[in-house]
Amino acid sequence: MKIKSVAMLSIALAVCMLGGCAENTKHEIVVVSTPGELSSSESSEAVSSLNSNEKSSSSIGSINTTSGSSIVSEPAVSVTKPQVSVVIPQISSSEIQESTKPEETFSSNVVSSSKEEPAVSSSSSAKPPIVTSSSSVFSSSDNSPVTPSFPIGTNSYQALNYSEVKGIWISYLELSGLVSDSESSFRNSIGKVYDNCVSLGINTVVVHVRSHGDAYYNSSLFPRTKYLGGNYDPLSVMIDEAHKRGLSFQAWINPLRGCSVSNIGREAGYPMYEWAGNEKQIVSYNGYYYLNPAYDEVIDLIAKGASEIVSKYNVDGLHIDDYFYPTTEEWFDSEAYSNSSYSSLSDFRFANCDKLVSSLYSAVKSANNTVLFGVSPQGNVQNNYSYMYADVEKWCSESGYLDYIMPQIYFGFKNSYQPFSDVVTQWDAIAAKGNVPLIVGLSPAKIGSEDTWGGDGKYEWINDKEILKRQFIESSEQKSYGGICLYSYNSIFNADSDTESQMNDEVSALKAVLQ
């Protein structure tokens, strides 16, 4: 799962445009707003390349997750709320910076075992403009959450969560590498994964339960995933085995990403199949379908999906990462935009993403208000505004959006464009505005690899020692600190042979401070 510089070069054009660009800090603009896993190729080649109870301990904390609460145990820091200034540096086409979890690439003709940040089509002739949120002009009718159109079930399960999260992401790529032909074999496989996590000091697992418009559970809304075999209920097994070990289970979904266009037949009898081909509710892009959040019926489906999971299963949280709009190109939602009251496409898209996130939060809390809802945006704050239409400051500052923020801060200390210390401090300030816990996403996947876009820190992940330990310590010193999360399981426990020794040293140092 580690990133190779050769692989990075092969997808440089794809990664550059959306989320993968470094900042030229000499040229910047200031944007003011009022406070208050990418598409996989889904190819068999990519998959075949993988080798791969209630709380009972006094160390487990029960978390009150009502709106505005914090999972951080120390007293909240009093923060005044003037207008929020977000520095949005202009992008230099010669400086490219990676900032999301390595897992896969958006490009339909590139197969990679590592996830790169979403990229606009390399055939695009123009660089996407810098776009910003002016969310203060949004009306409540435009932005109110969508309530699922069917009766929402409720679950009295008391969620298990920790005041300090020590988490790890387990993606569909890792799940697809497990023996899963029967319930017993899958239970044994996932149990071994969890045992490894516990040995490291992990108390929270963030596990894919919907990655491509599919379901790793029994669903009436989405077809069963093709990444796990058998006919049992994988989610029940994963939750049961996690709770046996005292692990909090966060159910990870990608709300907008769907299957490949060629696989749409598997959706027969489900909503996405009925929408296929009209390029409205779902849109084909680079060979894949993506749900279009401009339509209330789409948000309704996503909210139903969240309610279905939380009401039927004893999950401890629902988690989404940085997959919002897959492109900045106007054609993606041009019809919906032309029929809207917005004069700015960026404002229109910010409003849609606001509604998506608030609807997910509302659906989760309606089904079980002890369950956490969190978002893991790109670590580069600018990219969330420039490419993703994700108003992360608003979501942290206002109630009704999320319980925690988990930015993917995958930069080294010596990164020329986004040095870790500066970025984690920036996110701490954002989280503090709404007293939201900051859970810092860290990337073991970079250990032993050349950071192609790291500038002066290009070889930091090869030459320097105890990077993860030092990043954990610095994260824990932030005022809004709520924990850390590691991407990903395979990078640590199935490291490549040429980096295994270095990874073991890094993990040993991290383990010493985690436990």
Side-chain angles (χ1 to χ4, degrees), residues 349-366:
R349 288 180 171 175
F350 276 117
N352 295 335
C353 287
D354 283 350
K355 181 176 286 189
L356 168 64
V357 173
S358 64
S359 297
L360 279 166
Y361 178 90
S362 179
V364 167
K365 297 305 179 182
S366 295

Side-chain angles (χ1 to χ4, degrees), residues 81-93:
K81 293 187 177 182
Q83 283 193 322
V84 179
S85 295
V86 187
V87 177
I88 309 294
Q90 296 284 4
I91 297 173
S92 167
S93 61

Side-chain angles (χ1 to χ4, degrees), residues 71 163-169 200-206 405-407 409 420 424 438-444 468-478 481-487 492 510-511 513-514:
I71 66 172
S163 60
E164 180 184 15
V165 172
K166 299 173 183 177
I168 192 166
W169 277 285
L200 179 58
I202 297 299
N203 61 24
T204 302
V205 289
V206 184
I405 193 78
M406 191 188 289
I409 309 181
F420 179 84
V424 75
L438 171 65
I439 304 172
V440 180
L442 304 177
S443 182
L468 296 176
K469 173 185 175 180
R470 290 186 284 123
Q471 290 188 335
F472 168 73
I473 291 172
E474 186 156 343
S475 298
S476 69
E477 293 170 347
Q478 305 304 309
Y481 173 70
I484 57 115
C485 194
L486 305 171
Y487 190 86
I492 296 175
L510 178 62
K511 182 177 180 178
V513 292
L514 276 180

